[in-house]
Amino acid sequence: MVLRWYTVVIDCHDVRKQAAWWAEAFGWKTIIETDDECVNVPGWVEQDSFQDMPWERIGPGMVFVPVPEGKTVKNRLHLDFAPHTSQDRDAEIARLEALGATRVDVGQPEGPSWTVLADPEGNEFCVLSSRDF
């Protein structure tokens, strides 16, 4: 038996705004949108495409749920993203910043091969160096 990574759940104040931000950042689409939950999936995903795909090969989505408290400390778990080697990493970081991401210092060393950013509600994530796979 194999479990499948089903979703990443992001606690936030404004689920619609956060879901829209991440959908724009990834080119994903929001398939459920209420005040209590928003769900994003990759932009290429169509409901029918899951029918022929093995369960364990379907990638995770993102779920946004409301919480009353604000973020107070560095995330214990964060997501790493990488552009393809055919993409301009610095341009991608600039695009994310133009959408509202901010650079943050979480104690990373000087000159790492990654850049730490935070989404509009302060959730940290990293943009790594370009990768082939």
Side-chain angles (χ1 to χ4, degrees):
M1 176 166 64
V2 176
L3 292 175
R4 174 166 79 85
W5 179 4
Y6 195 71
T7 61
V8 173
V9 178
I10 298 175
D11 294 345
C12 50
H13 286 287
D14 189 334
V15 296
R16 291 176 190 264
K17 184 177 177 182
Q18 281 291 93
W21 189 88
W22 282 99
E24 180 71 21
F26 283 145
W28 285 21
K29 60 185 172 184
T30 303
I31 60 168
I32 296 173
E33 187 174 359
T34 71
D35 290 337
D36 294 323
E37 177 185 55
C38 289
V39 177
N40 288 357
V41 297
W44 60 266
V45 170
E46 297 298 333
Q47 205 68 23
D48 295 343
S49 67
F50 291 130
Q51 303 297 336
D52 299 324
M53 192 178 295
W55 167 257
E56 66 276 5
R57 302 224 35 208
I58 300 171
M62 297 178 87
V63 176
F64 302 85
V65 295
V67 294
E69 69 277 358
K71 183 175 175 310
T72 58
V73 297
K74 175 184 171 286
N75 293 353
R76 296 276 315 261
L77 173 72
H78 70 268
L79 303 173
D80 286 346
F81 305 106
H84 188 263
T85 53
S86 65
Q87 295 173 286
D88 181 340
R89 179 182 175 275
D90 293 335
E92 184 59 21
I93 291 170
R95 184 183 72 83
L96 292 168
E97 289 176 317
L99 290 174
T102 55
R103 292 178 189 243
V104 293
D105 182 354
V106 294
Q108 66 266 34
E110 296 256 348
S113 62
W114 66 90
T115 300
V116 183
L117 299 172
D119 72 15
E121 288 201 14
N123 299 299
E124 299 96 1
F125 62 96
C126 294
V127 177
L128 306 176
S129 59
S130 298
R131 312 288 164 103
D132 282 331
F133 56 95

